[in-house]
Amino acid sequence: MAKISEKQVGHVAKLARLGLTRDEVKKFSGQLSAVFEYIEVLEEVDTSDVVETSQVTGLENVKEKDEVVKWEVSGKELSGEDLLESSGLPVESKQILVKAAVKKS
Amino acid sequence: MSDLNKLTIKEVADGLRSKKFSSEDVMKDCLARIDERNGDLNAFVTVDSDGALEGARLADKRLAAGEDDGVLMGVPMALKDLFNTAGVRTTCCSPGLKEFVPPYNATVVDRLSDAGAVMVGKTNMDEFACGASCEYGCFGAAKNPHDLTKVAGGSSGGSVVAVADDMSIFALGTDTGGSIRQPSSFCGTYGLKVTYGRVSRSGVTAFASSWDTIGPIGKSVEDISYVLQAIAGQDRRDMTTPPVKVPDYTGFLGKGVKGMKIGLPKEYFGEGVEKETRDVVMEAVGRLEKAGAEVVEVSLPMTKYAVAVYYVCAPAELSANMERYDGIRYGSLPSKDGEDLVDHYFKQRGEGFGDEVKRRIMIGTYVLSAGYMDAYYKHAMKVRTLIIKDFNKAFEKVDVLVGPVSPFPAFGIGDKAEDPVAMYTADSLTIPASCAGVPSLACPAGVSADGLPIGLQIIAPQFEEGRCLQVGEMV
């Protein structure tokens, strides 16, 4: 039996908000099963007294003053309008118009 | 003069100052080479000819007026297509980002521009830097200039091919698990993976944020040192760049290796590594020994777990980073409207990502999901600690570590594309240094019987890039 069943692929794809075709679900079930079989090698390692590494150079809680700093592109200050425009979506009253999150009743 | 595209940074810089040729001449030769070869090699996905020529003319004008930004002034560069370039599309070779034009430059792009370098164009890559062959991008595979049936290596394949085939003088890539070093080894260029945090990641599309590094690809160790000098150092827009002093990297050149202690990790020469690769690398090690280095065998026993650690941790970070590609914050709209917001996400993300990114998002989502987080993700992060301890222990005894970059030379296009595990294990010798965040320089060591380049890597302790350069020059 596949380590990652097609049903599991469907479930994980749903969690990750990925729309998959039937063929993709089938293909990924086989491929992900092979990957997870490979990853099993880590079970050999005893890590009972080991601390996790999430940052390799030892930095912790880097802080700096909260102040407005100019951001220039080719000598021109980047404006909020430039950033809004770069979204490619319609802009209205200095806000980006996005799709409705709930169905219209 | 012709073939100016074949010159190194140093040679271009000297020629510009002795007025043998102009930056525009160099740029024209690079663009002509791209015209001639890009159809076959697919190294560039965007060529900004107008911008490149304009930039070169400006450099010529300023040099003539006595303004000199230094050695990179007027030198053509190629940028992997995940560095934000204001006004020039930046696609990450993802179907969902084909139209994305960033409003600002990545810090590294600004730093190189301030140093006078001029961009030729943006280069091919595996989608979002996920791949080891440069076959997984939406613009098709980049080809190896030494054999068009072989992969360029990845993910920074386009940048490496651009340099190897003289389409650009130097290039910039990113290396998360081997993405600069492995293609460099496959195509015969120098490529440096820096210490994590040595170069700012601001404005560079994230793949795995605790692993991603940015580094130069060039035709000589000297060229690598010039580019590194321009891009290294703290940046307030990337809080993971520590306040570690940036040394004068060219100061490490010409020092030789006399008295240096070089460690050969026995795991890097063992099972799975082709004999020919081993032999070519050992021959190069012999040259270092002859130059006065002391060579000793060391052991990094956790090496065999590195790929598994990486393929738990990196996809986990990727899956989180990819959340922003929802067709609203980033990414194009789906071809058909969704029925509601969730359906919109399914449609947009189903269309917007290629297979390998989908696979990795699912691996990441799985290992971070409730019930599996401790068994997979946290456990892998602990094994990462043990891999780091391996390196720390080795560096108590030796100055640098040397081994092959890849267990084999470039493989055939299509050979591993549908077999993720085979593709993942192709990075088995580059991923360990990524786990530890230490620098590693890939250098051409020799060629296979089939004429394919074989590279070796020089790994040094964190922030000791200079040592990699010092040894690399003597390979």
Side-chain angles (χ1 to χ4, degrees), chain A residues 3-4 8-9 12-20 24 27-28 31-32 34-36 38-57 59 62-65 67 69-74 78 82-83 86-87 89 96 98-103, chain B residues 86 101 103-104 195-196 210 236-237 239-242 302 304-305 307-309 311-312 327-328 333 337 339-342 344-346 349-350 353 355 358-359 361-363 365-367 372 376 378-386 388 418 420-421 424-425 435-437 462-463:
Chain A
K3 202 170 160 60
I4 307 288
Q8 278 173 300
V9 170
V12 172
K14 203 170 150 191
L15 290 176
R17 300 286 188 261
L18 286 173
L20 300 184
E24 282 181 314
K27 181 170 73 174
F28 291 150
Q31 291 174 336
L32 295 182
V35 171
F36 278 92
Y38 179 81
I39 288 170
E40 262 174 20
V41 66
L42 293 178
E43 287 171 17
E44 294 170 22
V45 189
D46 177 11
T47 55
S48 38
D49 295 320
V50 183
V51 182
E52 299 139 28
T53 294
S54 50
Q55 215 287 338
V56 289
T57 54
L59 289 176
V62 179
K63 295 171 191 165
E64 69 162 15
K65 265 192 199 153
E67 55 185 5
V69 180
K70 275 189 191 174
W71 193 312
E72 289 187 352
V73 175
S74 321
L78 196 63
D82 294 331
L83 292 172
S86 73
S87 81
L89 290 167
I96 292 171
V98 299
K99 295 198 81 67
V102 287
K103 277 187 196 168
Chain B
V101 179
Y104 64 90
T195 306
Y196 177 80
S210 83
R236 60 174 301 281
R237 288 177 191 160
M239 290 302 176
T240 60
T241 52
M302 299 301 289
K304 69 169 176 172
Y305 302 111
V307 172
V309 166
Y311 279 98
V312 172
I328 296 166
L333 291 170
D337 270 355
E339 282 177 27
D340 53 24
L341 188 68
V342 172
H344 159 89
Y345 289 149
F346 282 131
R349 290 164 63 84
F353 296 128
D355 275 7
K358 282 180 185 165
R359 278 192 287 269
I361 288 174
M362 285 190 285
I363 297 169
T365 305
Y366 188 87
V367 301
Y372 291 111
Y376 284 111
K378 287 198 174 160
H379 181 61
M381 288 167 85
K382 288 176 182 172
V383 182
R384 188 179 186 183
T385 304
L386 295 174
I388 295 171
E418 289 298 319
V421 174
Y424 296 173
T425 50
C435 287
Q462 287 190 351
F463 300 103

Side-chain angles (χ1 to χ4, degrees), chain B residues 11 36 53-54 65 133 143 154 161 166 199 201 214-215 266-267 311 322 337 348-349 367 375 391 410 420 427 435 466:
Chain B
E11 288 162 350
E36 181 194 341
L53 287 169
E54 194 187 314
S133 64
K143 311 269 174 67
V161 173
D166 298 314
V199 176
R201 293 176 294 116
I214 288 142
K266 66 175 185 203
E267 292 78 7
Y311 279 98
M322 291 296 114
D337 270 355
Q348 197 277 335
R349 290 164 63 84
V367 301
F391 278 102
D427 276 338
C435 287

Side-chain angles (χ1 to χ4, degrees), chain A residues 78-87 91 93-94 96, chain B residues 103:
Chain A
L78 196 63
S79 69
E81 280 77 16
D82 294 331
L83 292 172
L84 287 170
E85 201 188 309
S86 73
S87 81
V91 174
S93 320
K94 293 196 173 179
I96 292 171

Side-chain angles (χ1 to χ4, degrees), chain B residues 65 69 80 100 148 154 168 189 210 223 249 259 278 286 292 311 370-371 444 463:
Chain B
D69 295 333
K80 186 176 182 178
F100 177 63
L148 296 181
S168 178
T189 59
S210 83
D223 281 8
Y249 289 112
R278 242 172 12 222
Y311 279 98
F463 300 103

Side-chain angles (χ1 to χ4, degrees), chain B residues 19-34:
Chain B
K19 301 197 170 53
K20 275 193 193 135
F21 47 78
S22 67
S23 168
E24 188 180 356
D25 295 334
V26 181
M27 193 59 85
K28 279 181 173 163
D29 282 2
C30 287
L31 291 169
R33 182 71 179 170
I34 293 171

